[in-house]
Amino acid sequence: MSERFEKGRNILKQINDDSIEDIFKGLEGIAPVLGRFIVEYPYSEIYTRETVDLKKRELCTIAALTVMGFPQGELKAHVRGNLAAGNNPEEIIEVIIQMSAYGGFPAAINAVNTAKEVFEERNLLPLKISEADSKMERKETKTRTQAGLEVLKQTKNQEEDEILSDLEEFIPGMRRFIIEFPYSEIYTREGLDLKTRELCTVSALTALGNCQDQLKVHIEAALNLENTPEEIAEIIMQMTAYSGFPSALNGLKVAKEVFKERNLLPLNLEK
């Protein structure tokens, strides 16, 4: 085996030792070369890059696979990978819940059911659930609008402010939905910090491939929450393995525009 293959296989052993054999077995007799590509490209070339640690990479992969909606086998493998990388079940579920705002409720429900199968295998259920969640209630310390606007203020996002102002004149109900659901209901939840949430959103919007305007908004927010431009670029590049090169190239084009506006180029990245 080549050095590149061994390098990728070592990463796979860290996060999911069984998956490589399953991959090869499934591809045997039809497309064995695809198994080599999987080991040598995402795991050897991308996951070994040091700018983003394995825990964040795996959470971002969960975000992307959730919004894409269909790859349940891969999602299951990466739920296991997240656990092996040190993410806890609650963090994994928080990312999936968050993706309901970007990929829709059907995709999030499918992903929760897939994660549940892995957690059952590992005897990790029931999860630690807040009293408010258990009672199907919201912990009301502020109005939904107040809580959502405070999150928006933390992101210091001029682009989002402009979008919401336009909606106020055009469809005011939509403005309220955006403030009260993703920003108030989801982004204020405990279990995942705002900085990581924004990086996961960048990965999801890149994977969707057709959300350039919203991707720009969330790259701005990710920077404002102290994700580095290098981390953002790395996560977008990582999506080449899951949503393909076209969507990642589109994402990098948007990121470059933002970085150029902020005088953040050139980036300090591995070649």
Side-chain angles (χ1 to χ4, degrees):
M1 297 294 178
S2 69
E3 182 180 344
R4 180 179 292 174
F5 186 91
E6 288 302 322
K7 191 177 175 184
R9 188 161 189 162
N10 286 336
I11 292 290
L12 264 170
K13 284 180 179 178
Q14 288 180 48
I15 60 174
N16 201 344
D17 200 13
D18 295 332
S19 66
I20 185 61
E21 298 307 326
D22 291 341
I23 289 168
F24 288 153
K25 187 175 181 180
L27 295 171
E28 187 177 342
I30 183 167
V33 70
L34 191 57
R36 178 171 66 80
F37 291 165
I38 291 167
V39 175
E40 292 187 351
Y41 180 58
Y43 291 103
S44 180
E45 294 287 359
I46 295 178
Y47 274 66
T48 56
R49 293 168 68 89
E50 296 179 357
T51 305
V52 179
D53 64 44
L54 202 52
K55 289 180 70 174
K56 279 187 181 177
R57 286 194 184 277
E58 279 293 337
L59 283 176
C60 287
T61 297
I62 288 286
L65 293 177
T66 297
V67 297
M68 289 164 69
F70 55 86
Q72 300 307 310
E74 281 299 301
L75 182 58
K76 185 180 281 190
H78 282 282
V79 170
R80 294 188 185 111
N82 266 269
L83 293 170
N87 292 309
N88 63 50
E90 291 78 13
E91 288 170 321
I92 296 166
I93 290 298
E94 278 300 324
V95 170
I96 294 172
I97 291 170
Q98 181 179 330
M99 292 306 109
S100 65
Y102 305 106
F105 286 98
I109 290 168
N110 285 343
V112 166
N113 287 331
T114 299
K116 184 180 179 182
E117 291 177 20
V118 176
F119 299 158
E120 285 174 341
E121 291 170 4
R122 306 283 181 95
N123 295 315
L124 295 173
L125 295 177
L127 302 189
K128 297 173 185 174
I129 297 172
S130 72
E131 184 179 349
D133 281 2
S134 296
K135 292 180 178 179
M136 301 287 281
E137 296 174 350
R138 174 183 166 81
K139 187 179 178 181
E140 292 284 6
T141 55
K142 300 168 186 170
T143 69
R144 284 177 171 80
T145 300
Q146 284 175 326
L149 288 172
E150 284 187 15
V151 172
L152 272 170
K153 189 176 180 181
Q154 288 181 60
T155 68
K156 304 172 187 173
N157 200 323
Q158 185 68 32
E159 293 275 348
E160 188 77 303
D161 287 344
E162 290 174 5
I163 290 168
L164 291 173
S165 295
D166 288 343
L167 285 173
E168 180 68 15
E169 297 175 8
F170 176 44
I171 308 177
M174 186 65 171
R175 176 185 183 274
R176 180 171 63 80
F177 294 161
I178 292 170
I179 292 170
E180 292 188 356
F181 181 58
Y183 286 106
S184 178
E185 290 283 7
I186 295 178
Y187 277 64
T188 59
R189 291 175 59 82
E190 297 176 358
L192 203 63
D193 62 84
L194 201 51
K195 181 179 178 181
T196 303
R197 285 190 184 280
E198 278 297 351
L199 205 57
C200 287
T201 298
V202 167
S203 69
L205 294 177
T206 299
L208 286 170
N210 56 358
C211 305
Q212 279 75 11
D213 289 346
Q214 284 302 302
L215 180 57
K216 184 176 183 183
V217 165
H218 286 281
I219 289 172
E220 295 273 10
L223 289 168
N224 292 339
L225 291 166
E226 300 185 354
N227 290 291
T228 68
E230 287 80 8
E231 288 173 321
I232 293 166
E234 281 286 345
I235 289 303
I236 293 173
M237 284 194 290
Q238 183 175 322
M239 294 305 105
T240 58
Y242 302 104
S243 57
F245 282 87
S247 66
L249 288 170
N250 287 343
L252 288 171
K253 183 179 179 182
V254 174
K256 184 180 179 182
E257 290 174 11
V258 175
F259 299 159
K260 189 174 181 180
E261 288 170 4
R262 294 194 178 206
N263 296 315
L264 296 173
L265 298 175
L267 302 186
N268 182 24
L269 287 172
E270 301 170 50
K271 293 184 179 179

